[in-house]
Amino acid sequence: MSDFVKISRDDDIALVTIDNRPVNALSFHVRGPLMQALVSLRDDASVAAIIIACAGRTFIAGADITEFGKPVQQPDLRALIVTLESITKPTVAAIHGTALGGGLELALGCHFRVADAGAKLGLPEVKLGLLPGAGGTVRLPRLVGAVKALKMIVSGTPIGATEAHAAGLVDAVFEGDLATHAVNFAREIARKGGPFTPVRDRNAGETNLGAFDAEAADLARKARGLEAPLACAQAVRNAVTLTFDEALAAERALFVKLVASDQSRAQRHLFFAEREAAKIPAKGIVKRRIGRVGVIGAGTMGGGIAMAFANGGYPVTLLETSQEVLDRGLGTIEKNYAVSVSRGSLSEDAKRQRLAQFKGSTDYADLADCDLIVEAVFEDMAVKKEVFGKLDAIAKAGAILATNTSYLDINEIAASISRPQDMLGLHFFSPANVMKLLEIVRADKTAPDALATVVDMARRIGKVAVVVGVCHGFVGNRMLAARGSESEALLLEGATPGQIDKAFTDFGWPMGPFQMGDLAGLDIGWRNRKARGLTAAIADTLCEQGRFGQKTGRGFYLYEAGARAGVPDPEVETLIREKAAEKGIKPREIGAEEIIERTLYPLVNEGAKILEEKIAARASDIDVVWVNGYGFPIGKGGPMFWAGLEGAARIIDRLDHWHRQTGKEVFKPAPLLKRMAEIGSWETDATG
Ligand code: T1G
């Protein structure tokens, strides 16, 4: 056999074990030996049943994503499943960990599936801009029905073993030694005798196509320009309206189209980019232990951060200046968990467990046993320095001291304490208990072990971590400022908030900049501008009128009776026209293309500058920031990946045009952007 596929026997039961760590992906070097094993066991009369299992922490997690876009090496996964289904003796997949994508599709080629109680099963290909390409869209409906299959495949969300058993996807669920249970299960099945019906020959049952199509239409509305969800729905519909072979052929055609698409390349880029972002030099570094976490500030950010840590299993000491403010903060946290319980996303028991993680205090001394302390106090340098002065006095040796500042100079704060090596930034995004992105800000003197410790911690609390350097706004907010630098000019020159927002939503953003401003609160930007002596004629006037957005019922849009979606406000449009007239600007028609050029091209350009300054280590890190922190459309892979799709030369040409028109620095093409146009890569060092 091979190092990757081994056969063992328990008398007449054959156990095929795949061992391709870390996730048993069905790489080429697995598929060949697996095919040989299946053929030999199929033809071996002494074998009564065949079990397919995996070594290590999980069953097969899918096809090998690194092989996409390269010539397919035979046998491919589909050929393996055809061979598997030609076997008349009983075949059983023994699933632990996560059976995903091609892994679950292989299991669907078996007559039976048994699972460890903690196992998860899913077809997440849609998250890679694909659909299950080895029969998953045709076989899964035959076990769980068309609508359940539709939901599983279009969402890409795995289900647990118990749910899978109830749905008919697995035939038995076991606790304990799965291999032994699987052998006993297989022996019993073989004893009872066949024939054993392959999944392909089973019936998907009655499908109410009206209900199916309604469900598919609802899912399509959420696709926001992504092709894969629509293809998934079509493939599942084919499974219950065409013959098996016709549906399989149609699935293949859809897969071939998707795998070559820019959207799938973008989403596969993001899959690896997120994992790459968490890789920092760790050789010889011993991470510090984080037992208890202290959070200073129980407001919106502090409360959300405290919840993020409690959700990740850390005990939290939450500190506020007074009992009244502390109680209010803890009350909000309890309310947030209660909402999750009412929505069914959290059990009562889990809510109790998480609340039990919290200890409230108004005394800094109570933070003395914390291994990590995060402050989320008012964004003011003097206030931050006062807080860190107190922490410097009471925190235990080796405790990591983190600031949640979104743009203040962390090096300046670090210079004010005796232990700058223990200091760094943890820039959470609001709501901190929900948003995936965590910018980990490495200050000049941050110790490598402190950095490695918090990168590891980020994974435990379910965050997507990106290590960034110190500058105003780090990566995300600095680029956001560049993206928004022309917003007022576009309004004054004739574009309405609705037209600008529509250009963004048509591009694939969940919402445009004015909708986002109204949602977050226009007063936040107003406060930032005042702190930095900046002005914005229209936005400042709106704030002076108390129009802060949704929370005041009026911002750039009007929100009737607390509606979430705003409607255009004639008063705002009059204000814009008045301000334009004051500046002698004659309004004109502004198209979506110009809006994108004057917002997203500066965004890319600022990213190039950030790379030049080594504030971000990789272009893909910037993509991870923007997709996970700001809703950049995943089908475009993030601003830096999208620049490759758009064409760096075109971006430079248009930036030059707007630079000539406006003289603004944000339009001056960065040298690295010009290099990207020449070599087609963002690599900043000579090694490329
Ligand atoms: N192919 C190649 N490498 C993979 C991989 C895969 N399918 N899955 C993970 N890796 C690498 C990953 O890059 C990382 O590498 C290491 O394994 C550990 O991963 C035909 C077309 C299984 C839930 O989409 O969701 O089948 O950084 O850090 O957090 O229809 O990995 O160590 O060098 O994520 O414990 C469908 C993708 C493929 C599942 C484990 N399957 N993987 O999470 O570890 S397409 C998927 C995951 C397909 C068929 C279609 C997760 C995980 P490195 P990790 P983890």
Side-chain angles (χ1 to χ4, degrees):
M1 280 329 296
S2 92
D3 293 344
F4 301 101
V5 176
K6 292 186 175 60
I7 297 175
S8 56
R9 293 288 292 267
D10 182 315
D11 193 10
D12 59 350
I13 307 298
L15 182 63
V16 178
T17 302
I18 295 164
D19 191 356
N20 184 29
R21 315 286 169 111
V23 297
N24 289 311
L26 277 168
S27 312
F28 166 63
H29 55 260
V30 170
R31 298 195 303 271
L34 180 56
M35 179 65 96
Q36 287 165 9
L38 291 176
V39 169
S40 73
L41 293 171
R42 177 190 64 190
D43 302 341
D44 181 336
S46 73
V47 172
I50 302 168
I51 299 168
I52 297 177
C54 288
R57 59 187 165 113
T58 180
F59 191 74
I60 304 160
D64 184 338
I65 308 172
T66 63
E67 292 181 356
F68 293 148
K70 296 171 190 162
V72 176
Q73 291 175 291
Q74 295 302 335
D76 69 10
L77 177 54
R78 291 175 301 142
L80 265 176
I81 295 171
V82 168
T83 300
L84 187 53
E85 269 189 335
S86 72
I87 298 172
T88 52
K89 58 186 78 170
T91 51
V92 182
I95 294 169
H96 73 294
T98 51
L100 299 174
L104 180 55
E105 290 177 297
L106 188 80
L108 290 171
C110 295
H111 298 113
F112 302 96
R113 285 144 299 281
V114 298
D116 173 80
K120 289 190 174 174
L121 302 90
L123 294 172
E125 288 86 340
V126 70
K127 295 179 179 173
L128 298 171
L130 299 169
L131 56 68
T137 66
V138 198
R139 288 190 178 84
L140 185 63
R142 282 168 164 73
L143 290 179
V144 304
V147 174
K148 176 109 182 136
L150 172 72
K151 288 177 180 173
M152 283 183 68
I153 293 171
V154 173
S155 71
T157 306
I159 60 174
T162 309
E163 183 182 348
H165 188 215
L169 178 51
V170 299
D171 303 281
V173 177
F174 297 117
E175 304 260 1
D177 177 355
L178 181 64
T180 304
H181 285 303
V183 167
N184 295 337
F185 176 90
R187 179 161 287 123
E188 179 57 19
I189 290 290
R191 188 188 62 74
K192 281 183 187 159
F196 304 103
T197 311
V199 175
R200 61 166 291 148
D201 296 336
R202 300 191 201 173
N203 187 304
E206 273 313 299
T207 300
N208 173 337
L209 280 180
F212 179 94
D213 289 343
E215 181 69 35
D218 184 44
L219 292 167
R221 269 190 293 281
K222 297 168 190 162
R224 265 211 306 272
L226 292 173
E227 296 150 15
L230 309 180
C232 287
Q234 183 55 56
V236 175
R237 194 178 202 279
N238 292 343
V240 292
T241 52
L242 306 177
T243 67
F244 182 90
D245 289 333
E246 286 167 344
L248 200 62
E251 176 196 86
R252 180 66 188 162
L254 287 166
F255 179 83
V256 166
K257 181 168 170 287
L258 286 175
V259 78
S261 70
D262 286 342
Q263 282 188 359
S264 181
R265 284 176 48 238
Q267 290 177 249
R268 293 179 338 239
H269 157 74
L270 289 170
F271 175 85
F272 290 114
E274 282 182 16
R275 285 153 182 81
E276 204 57 30
K279 287 178 186 162
I280 57 167
K283 200 165 163 38
I285 285 173
V286 178
K287 298 185 188 83
R288 303 182 196 182
R289 181 187 164 277
I290 298 181
R292 172 170 284 274
V293 176
V295 176
I296 304 173
T300 307
M301 282 311 291
I305 292 169
M307 287 178 71
F309 281 107
N311 298 346
Y314 289 100
V316 177
T317 300
L318 184 57
L319 185 91
E320 253 299 352
T321 48
S322 73
Q323 193 61 43
E324 185 207 351
V325 177
L326 175 64
D327 291 345
R328 194 159 61 235
L330 289 169
T332 303
I333 290 170
E334 178 149 17
K335 236 187 292 157
N336 289 342
Y337 281 131
V339 167
S340 299
V341 169
S342 64
R343 284 185 186 151
S345 58
L346 190 70
S347 68
E348 267 297 344
D349 201 31
K351 174 190 162 200
R352 261 195 305 279
Q353 278 170 13
R354 289 188 186 174
L355 286 171
Q357 300 277 62
F358 286 87
K359 222 168 66 174
S361 169
T362 57
D363 180 354
Y364 268 80
D366 288 338
L367 298 176
D369 64 345
C370 293
D371 307 286
L372 167 65
I373 303 169
V374 188
E375 64 76 19
V377 299
F378 190 61
E379 279 287 78
D380 173 274
M381 184 56 85
V383 173
K384 302 279 190 195
K385 283 182 179 176
E386 185 193 353
V387 166
F388 277 92
K390 290 178 183 170
L391 289 180
D392 204 10
I394 57 97
K396 68 183 185 184
I400 294 171
L401 309 180
T403 171
N404 173 57
T405 184
S406 54
Y407 63 87
L408 293 173
D409 182 346
I410 295 176
N411 287 322
E412 185 180 334
I413 302 172
S416 71
I417 60 174
S418 68
R419 47 175 124 177
Q421 71 280 6
D422 296 338
M423 219 224 126
L424 44 77
L426 289 179
H427 181 215
F428 288 85
F429 286 72
S430 186
N433 53 309
V434 174
M435 291 299 282
K436 301 288 280 179
L437 180 64
L438 176 62
E439 279 184 321
I440 295 177
V441 192
R442 179 198 60 244
D444 292 351
K445 293 189 175 155
T446 301
D449 67 321
L451 191 66
T453 303
V454 295
V455 169
D456 198 54
M457 170 280 294
R459 187 185 176 98
R460 182 171 167 188
I461 64 173
K463 295 300 179 189
V464 175
V466 178
V467 178
V468 300
V470 175
C471 69
H472 186 88
F474 316 129
V475 170
N477 284 345
R478 172 170 160 181
M479 290 173 69
L480 183 64
R483 187 189 83 169
S485 61
E486 283 280 88
S487 297
E488 294 257 326
L490 283 162
L491 289 176
L492 292 169
E493 292 173 32
T496 64
Q499 286 167 341
I500 295 171
D501 284 343
K502 185 175 183 306
F504 272 69
T505 51
D506 288 350
F507 182 88
W509 295 86
M511 61 178 76
F514 298 104
Q515 292 160 320
M516 177 57 85
D518 275 2
L519 176 66
L522 300 177
D523 48 324
I524 296 172
W526 188 36
R527 199 168 43 238
N528 281 351
R529 285 193 298 274
K530 285 195 284 187
R532 300 177 62 212
L534 302 174
T535 60
I538 296 162
D540 290 350
T541 306
L542 292 179
C543 290
E544 283 150 17
Q545 295 169 354
R547 304 175 65 120
F548 294 155
Q550 280 189 24
K551 60 185 171 186
T552 57
R554 299 158 55 139
F556 278 99
Y557 298 96
L558 215 47
Y559 298 86
E560 264 121 29
R564 301 276 295 168
V567 296
D569 183 343
E571 287 181 22
V572 172
E573 295 184 11
T574 305
L575 167 69
I576 293 169
R577 294 287 59 83
E578 284 166 359
K579 291 291 181 189
E582 283 169 22
K583 294 171 182 287
I585 297 171
K586 199 166 166 311
R588 63 184 171 85
E589 273 303 306
I590 295 182
E593 195 171 326
E594 178 176 341
I595 292 167
I596 294 301
E597 287 178 8
R598 293 171 67 179
T599 55
L600 301 192
Y601 286 8
L603 180 76
V604 170
N605 201 34
E606 198 64 30
K609 294 173 187 171
I610 280 170
L611 284 171
E612 286 165 352
E613 297 165 30
K614 301 210 182 302
I615 297 294
R618 313 172 191 88
S620 59
D621 285 3
I622 295 174
D623 290 334
V624 171
V625 165
W626 271 84
V627 160
N628 290 283
Y630 298 83
F632 196 99
I634 58 174
K636 291 187 166 70
M640 311 313 271
F641 185 89
W642 172 65
L645 298 179
E646 190 74 356
R650 167 178 162 72
I651 294 175
I652 290 166
D653 174 61
R654 302 308 297 156
L655 284 171
D656 281 335
H657 167 79
W658 293 111
H659 188 233
R660 286 191 298 275
Q661 291 276 79
T662 67
K664 285 188 176 177
E665 192 60 21
V666 284
F667 288 123
K668 192 165 172 227
L672 191 63
L673 179 59
K674 292 179 180 169
R675 187 163 181 275
M676 164 62 168
E678 287 154 18
I679 67 170
S681 158
W682 287 110
E683 291 305 322
T684 45
D685 53 33
T687 51

